[in-house]
Amino acid sequence: MNTTFLRTPLFDWHVAHGGRMVEFGGWEMPVQYTSIVAEHHAVRRAAGLFDISHMGRLRFSGRDAAAFLNHLVTNDVTRLAVGQIQYALVVNENGGTLDDVLVYRFADHHLLVVNASNREKIVRWIEQHRGAFRVDVEDLTTAQAMVALQGPQAESLLQPLVDVSLSEIKYYFATSGKILGHDGLISRTGYTGEDGFEIIVAAQHATELWGKLVAGAMPCGLGCRDTLRLEAAMPLYGHELTEEIDPCTAGLGFAVKLDKPDFIGKSALVASKANTNRPRRVGLRLDGKRIAREGALLFVSDQQVGRVTSGTFSPTLETPIAMAYVDPAHAAIDTTLDVDFRGQRLPARVVSLPFYRREMPAKHAK
Amino acid sequence: MDARQAVLKYAKSHEWVDLQGNVATIGITDFAVKELTDLVYVDLPAPGKTLAVGQPFGVIESVKAVSDLYAPVSGEVIEANKHVQNDVTKIADDPLGAGWLIKVRMPAGATLDHLLSRDAYEQAATAGH
């Protein structure tokens, strides 16, 4: 394998424990340790542990940090309370998506978590657009490790290792605290559709933290991260989101605040929102076992009406599922479309998203 | 190497052949099953179809990816394994035995000389890894 790829502080652990390493976003990451399906079920039923140190972490400080971020992303950063996190998009002047991100607000700084594959692009984009904003941007990615502990047992597994009360961390909130006695950050976030936490510590503490958590949680690779997020209908950059797709088309209007002051791409997004003819992001379910994968074309009789962006076999539903962009006239729930498998057509049904929604325990149901 | 592994002949594309008389039973290797993991679907040809060495004869799909199956011998398909078509996990349970895929009647005079021993296959399989 090409040695120019980046490695997380947990690389040696992954290799020593049977992780099948693949290139992802410029990093060597484990796609699975045992079975994607077994790792997937561990997250849905108990707890799974992911190395997500490859995610880019950019720290924004200085007088104009919030104002600059608000200029940079589609969501309204000024609405964030201290400790709160929001999903947002970075778009270009045409509204095309450069990345989907999380913005964290803290008392004296903000944190922007970006996709590994887009980190360098976003860092350049920031440099090009910072203009007169008084802001310091520091890339913390390689100095830190980030892990995701996901699943119904996540809270009970993590609680003994930290000095904060996890039950008081609400969904999409973060708090700093001691993790095994070291300074770190804990947020109730994830990319699986389950309850869980994402934890940031200094790189040198990664192996110790991982070792403690993996005693109770199954190590999970990118393979089940993909099947889990797909069941939860979360977009993946490079699939549902690209520079040719704007957030309104992607069905992410909740993260686009057109009532806030000017931001990069705003006028393009105003136009996109008004365009009722744009394709729709839909869910598809297929009978049988064949998986409609990225790039598969969708037809109604001889007319091409869409294209699959992600497809897999859902371990939870035990059926093939996919997300696709489809012409609005053919995007209604229960519409039957034909998927082309190298000339063979098989039916798929448009279904509502997400494919999977966890049952909320009473204490988080408010 | 166990006795079953030793008696079979192998293609670099990860199929195995067990020749009895002029009927070749064909499957995919234990190595391939371990690489694929999480099998979900197999598509096999109907009896009567004629295969040529190296030609795709079906597909096997795992959660991760879809892969072509390549004919390790030429001949006419005489049977496809209904059990694995109904339940693809039977391939992973016993890839070199009950998880066989198809049986092919080879033409008179055809041999397995182009295929690999277990040792040679393992070398080829791990070299590309």
Side-chain angles (χ1 to χ4, degrees):
Chain A
M1 187 168 274
N2 190 323
T3 50
T4 61
F5 296 129
L6 294 167
R7 294 175 171 183
T8 80
L10 296 162
F11 176 88
D12 291 342
W13 193 97
H14 301 320
V15 171
H17 292 80
R20 296 194 194 178
M21 308 307 286
V22 298
E23 187 276 335
F24 182 80
W27 295 72
E28 277 183 86
M29 300 299 293
V31 69
Q32 67 194 92
Y33 302 86
T34 55
S35 137
I36 292 172
V37 171
E39 292 169 20
H40 180 109
H41 287 319
V43 172
R44 290 273 179 261
R45 297 167 183 172
L49 183 63
F50 300 82
D51 180 6
I52 55 168
S53 303
H54 61 303
M55 302 289 289
R57 290 168 296 278
L58 307 177
R59 185 185 197 274
F60 288 67
S61 58
R63 190 192 67 186
D64 297 336
F68 178 54
L69 276 166
N70 220 28
H71 176 63
L72 201 66
V73 307
T74 56
N75 212 331
D76 191 347
V77 174
T78 64
R79 295 189 196 181
L80 283 171
V82 171
Q84 195 175 9
I85 301 166
Q86 74 184 184
Y87 179 77
L89 293 305
V90 180
V91 301
N92 61 28
E93 288 82 354
N94 304 320
T97 306
L98 295 170
D99 202 7
D100 63 336
V101 300
L102 291 185
V103 183
Y104 298 53
R105 182 187 169 194
F106 299 105
D108 63 345
H109 71 280
H110 287 71
L111 180 66
L112 187 71
V113 174
V114 305
N115 281 296
S117 56
N118 291 330
R119 177 168 62 105
E120 291 177 2
K121 177 177 77 176
I122 294 299
V123 167
R124 282 197 303 275
W125 185 255
I126 288 166
E127 290 312 312
Q128 286 164 18
H129 291 86
R130 61 195 298 159
F133 288 103
R134 286 177 42 182
V135 59
D136 293 313
V137 182
E138 188 182 359
D139 187 344
L140 303 174
T141 308
T142 55
Q144 297 176 331
M146 187 171 188
V147 303
L149 180 65
Q150 300 280 297
Q153 294 176 6
E155 184 174 316
S156 59
L157 284 171
L158 182 59
Q159 186 61 73
L161 311 184
V162 300
D163 73 344
V164 296
S165 176
L166 295 177
S167 64
E168 287 167 30
I169 305 178
K170 287 183 283 187
Y171 187 55
Y172 267 59
F173 275 81
T175 186
S176 53
K178 296 279 188 192
I179 300 153
L180 300 171
H182 312 297
D183 289 331
L185 188 73
I186 304 157
S187 60
R188 192 169 221 124
T189 47
Y191 194 51
T192 62
E194 290 305 320
D195 186 28
F197 299 89
E198 293 175 324
I199 306 147
I200 298 173
V201 294
Q204 68 264 31
H205 303 309
T207 310
E208 182 190 6
L209 173 62
W210 184 273
K212 293 279 189 196
L213 290 173
V214 87
M218 182 179 277
C220 292
L222 296 177
C224 78
R225 191 164 161 82
D226 190 51
T227 54
L228 289 158
R229 70 92 194 169
L230 191 39
E231 285 185 351
M234 293 169 170
L236 174 61
Y237 196 85
H239 295 255
E240 287 71 40
L241 293 171
T242 70
E243 292 186 30
E244 279 67 54
I245 299 168
D246 73 82
C248 298
T249 301
L252 301 171
F254 72 91
V256 177
K257 298 298 190 307
L258 296 175
D259 56 347
K260 74 172 187 173
D262 198 41
F263 61 93
I264 301 168
K266 180 177 176 179
S267 58
L269 295 184
V270 168
S272 173
K273 195 182 178 188
N275 172 15
T276 54
N277 233 356
R278 57 184 147 82
R280 300 291 191 270
R281 177 161 67 99
V282 303
L284 298 175
R285 276 181 82 154
L286 289 82
D287 297 328
K289 299 284 187 183
R290 292 221 63 177
I291 298 170
R293 296 186 187 271
E294 181 188 12
L297 300 180
L298 302 169
F299 290 85
V300 170
S301 53
D302 283 341
Q303 184 194 357
Q304 187 193 320
V305 299
R307 186 184 184 90
V308 170
T309 49
S310 296
T312 193
F313 185 81
S314 162
T316 304
L317 304 174
E318 297 186 319
T319 181
I321 58 172
M323 290 197 283
Y325 283 105
V326 172
D327 292 348
H330 302 283
I333 303 299
D334 283 335
T335 305
T336 298
L337 306 174
D338 286 334
V339 185
D340 184 89
F341 290 94
R342 293 194 249 185
Q344 187 190 358
R345 301 273 173 91
L346 294 172
R349 188 166 49 91
V350 177
V351 298
S352 61
L353 293 174
F355 299 100
Y356 167 84
R357 199 189 302 269
R358 77 184 160 100
E359 288 173 32
M360 301 288 260
K363 64 178 174 172
H364 298 305
K366 24 185 184 291
Chain B
M1 195 188 311
D2 67 28
R4 179 69 180 165
Q5 289 175 338
V7 79
L8 302 176
K9 294 291 185 184
Y10 299 85
K12 278 184 186 170
S13 50
H14 306 294
E15 295 81 14
W16 56 260
V17 178
D18 180 13
L19 187 61
Q20 304 289 335
N22 66 341
V23 174
T25 302
I26 295 168
I28 59 166
T29 66
D30 45 331
F31 179 88
V33 164
K34 191 162 166 277
E35 283 296 295
L36 290 167
T37 70
D38 302 310
L39 300 178
V40 294
Y41 171 81
V42 65
D43 185 36
L44 300 175
K49 187 171 168 68
T50 305
L51 304 180
V53 171
Q55 179 196 341
F57 72 83
V59 295
I60 189 158
E61 186 140 26
S62 71
V63 172
K64 232 179 346 193
V66 59
S67 310
D68 281 311
L69 300 163
Y70 295 95
V73 298
S74 301
E76 181 193 342
V77 177
I78 56 172
E79 190 180 352
N81 187 348
K82 290 192 180 62
H83 299 294
V84 304
Q85 287 177 306
N86 292 336
D87 180 3
V88 73
T89 62
K90 287 192 165 31
I91 298 173
D93 292 343
D94 186 10
L96 304 184
W100 63 274
L101 302 179
I102 56 171
K103 294 188 182 191
V104 171
R105 183 180 295 117
M106 292 170 61
T111 71
L112 303 184
D113 293 349
H114 59 291
L115 296 175
L116 304 174
S117 68
R118 181 72 192 193
D119 279 341
Y121 168 68
E122 284 186 3
Q123 275 182 18
T126 49
H129 199 237

